[in-house]
Amino acid sequence: MKSKLEEIRARAQEELSKANAVEAIEELRVKYAGKKGELTAILKQMGKLSPEERPVIGQLANEVRGFIENAVDTKKKELAKLMLEKQLEEEKIDVTLPSDISPLGHKHPLSVVLDEIKEIFVGMGFEIVEGPEVEYDYYNFEALNIPKDHPARDTQDTFYITDNIVLRTQTSPVQVRVMEKKKPPIRIISPGRVFRSDAVDATHSPLFHQIEGLVVDKDITFADLKGTLETFIKRLYGDDSVVRFRPHHFPFTEPSAEVDVQCFSCKGKGCRVCKNEGWIEILGCGMVHPKVLANCGIDPEEYSGFALGLGLERVAMRRYGVDDMRLFYENDTRFLSQF
Ligand code: DAH
């Protein structure tokens, strides 16, 4: 029986050393030290032994069981350690590997055109200023010579927040804010979002962008306005652009004009792009009304100025031949990636 026990110990050791999975080790434990295992089977025969042999064999059997259980434990730990090392090895991240190339974004077409416009004006000595989108009625209308009952209020369908606070319908209020704070000479442009409660269609949106321009100094004349705008338009649309000034009316300028460029698609003959007009309107402008200067604390006897307002979407639509303004806001990358 003693040699049988020794043989079991040797065999268990041998088989354990070969096992290389947790399940296999557990199987060996059951096979040797389990309730129905080989050791238990031997211990059941202890009754056949003489009283002298019994304690000797009992002790040896316990030793062998202890040995096997110990060996199983050790082996399991070794294996767990090995598996962890293997896992760490496999999951190691090589930070020097090249990464997946994700598509690179780029500027929105409206930003491209705005940046270009800013650069042209900055090149002519203009500063860029910004004003609030939520504005007092006073700045959006009143100070710009558009009193409460003025018909011009109807043409700019206004979002009212309260009786005297609105979402600005134009960037012109920034003129007033600048003139209140700064004494001439003033030379600024002010780009930004404006809001009108218009239904959405190909050429209307409740949110769009304008760029306001303002120059105030001594002896500023309509000739300065014409020169500045012609330079601007030629830089924007090319030196061969033909520009036309057309009389118009704005409450905050006097005299006022709208500026058209000859249609670059048909060169003035009339086509689909210019709706057969031969000309495309691109901005409004005029000499700052003396009342507006006075409202801002600037003496109209001493100073004069000109102002202009231009719609960014229109410029961008013309630049890129886009005929539906909604495309600019939908953020469909199939559209945007073309610019
Ligand atoms: N604020 C005008 C509009 O939204 C545009 C405009 C016209 C601005 C003439 C001006 C200007 O500064 O002089 O229709």
Side-chain angles (χ1 to χ4, degrees), residues 20 37 66 119 125 132 170 203 208 276 299:
N20 52 13
E119 212 172 295
Q170 47 187 356
T203 53
F208 58 103
N276 277 322
D299 182 359

Side-chain angles (χ1 to χ4, degrees), residues 298-316:
I298 292 179
D299 182 359
E301 298 294 329
E302 194 180 353
Y303 294 103
S304 55
F306 67 80
L308 61 112
L310 131 120
L312 180 60
E313 280 78 357
R314 284 196 169 185
V315 176

Side-chain angles (χ1 to χ4, degrees), residues 156 169-172 175 196 210 212-213 250 252-253 257 283-286 307-310:
Q156 302 195 353
T169 59
Q170 47 187 356
T171 43
S172 305
Q175 288 185 24
R196 294 188 194 180
Q210 284 188 339
E212 192 73 16
F250 296 105
F252 34 86
T253 44
L283 56 83
C285 61
L308 61 112
L310 131 120

Side-chain angles (χ1 to χ4, degrees), residues 207-309:
L207 181 162
F208 58 103
H209 299 78
Q210 284 188 339
I211 299 144
E212 192 73 16
L214 174 73
V215 171
V216 183
D217 203 350
K218 290 189 170 141
D219 305 320
I220 296 291
T221 67
F222 205 91
D224 297 304
L225 168 58
K226 281 191 85 173
T228 306
L229 285 181
E230 271 177 21
T231 306
F232 164 66
I233 288 164
K234 290 197 163 155
R235 297 245 169 99
L236 186 68
Y237 287 124
D239 276 338
D240 52 350
S241 315
V242 185
V243 181
R244 153 177 111 169
F245 284 71
R246 197 164 27 79
H248 199 74
H249 174 264
F250 296 105
F252 34 86
T253 44
E254 181 58 36
S256 306
E258 278 191 330
V259 175
D260 303 334
V261 252
Q262 196 174 64
C263 179
F264 14 82
S265 186
C266 63
K267 300 275 178 248
K269 288 194 199 80
C271 68
R272 205 175 61 88
V273 176
C274 58
K275 300 200 178 84
N276 277 322
E277 302 269 342
W279 296 88
I280 296 171
E281 180 220 317
I282 64 161
L283 56 83
C285 61
M287 300 306 292
V288 182
H289 198 295
K291 268 199 196 162
V292 175
L293 291 174
N295 285 344
C296 304
I298 292 179
D299 182 359
E301 298 294 329
E302 194 180 353
Y303 294 103
S304 55
F306 67 80
L308 61 112

Side-chain angles (χ1 to χ4, degrees), residues 19 21 178 323:
V178 169
D323 58 6

